[in-house]
Amino acid sequence: MKRRLPRIMNRQHSDNSCAAEDELNSALVNADISSSYEEYLAIFDRFYADDVTVASDTGSAPLLGKARVLPILHNFLVPLHVIAEIGRASCRERV
C-alpha cells in the first residue's frame, strides 16, 4: 500500500525543490567560463549528490557518482574556458 504524504508536506518539498532549482539555474547563468572553469566544478559539487547518475543519448553507459563524472566535466570545461578566455582577449585587442 502506497503511503501518501500530507498535502502540506508535498507542497513544502515542491517549494524547496523549486528554490534549489532556481538557485542552481542562477549560479549557472551568473558563472563566467572565461574567468574560471573552477566555478562550474564548485556548482556541480554543491548541487549534485555524491551518487549522481549522468547519462546521455549517445548509447554509452551512464556514469555513476561524482568521482566518475568530475574528470569528464573537467575535460569538457577546460577547453571551453581556454576558448572563452582567448575570445575575450581577442575582443579587448580590437577595441
Side-chain angles (χ1 to χ4, degrees):
M1 180 183 208
K2 196 173 189 179
R3 186 176 149 212
R4 292 184 48 91
L5 295 175
R7 192 172 196 76
I8 290 174
M9 290 182 96
N10 286 336
R11 188 177 314 129
Q12 182 180 7
H13 177 71
S14 177
D15 291 346
N16 289 343
S17 294
C18 288
E21 186 174 346
D22 289 346
E23 190 177 350
L24 169 61
N25 289 337
S26 178
L28 289 170
V29 167
N30 292 314
D32 181 6
I33 191 67
S34 65
S35 295
S36 169
Y37 66 89
E38 288 94 348
E39 189 173 359
Y40 288 92
L41 296 176
I43 291 168
F44 175 72
D45 188 52
R46 178 170 180 215
F47 288 96
Y48 290 87
D50 288 337
D51 62 348
V52 65
T53 300
V54 176
S56 73
D57 57 0
T58 62
S60 58
L63 300 173
L64 307 173
K66 280 185 183 177
R68 295 275 318 274
V69 176
L70 198 57
I72 305 299
L73 186 58
H74 184 271
N75 289 342
F76 173 77
L77 290 172
V78 170
L80 206 57
H81 164 68
V82 170
I83 290 167
E85 192 174 55
I86 290 170
R88 183 175 64 179
S90 175
C91 289
R92 285 183 187 159
E93 291 173 7
R94 292 182 188 173
V95 174

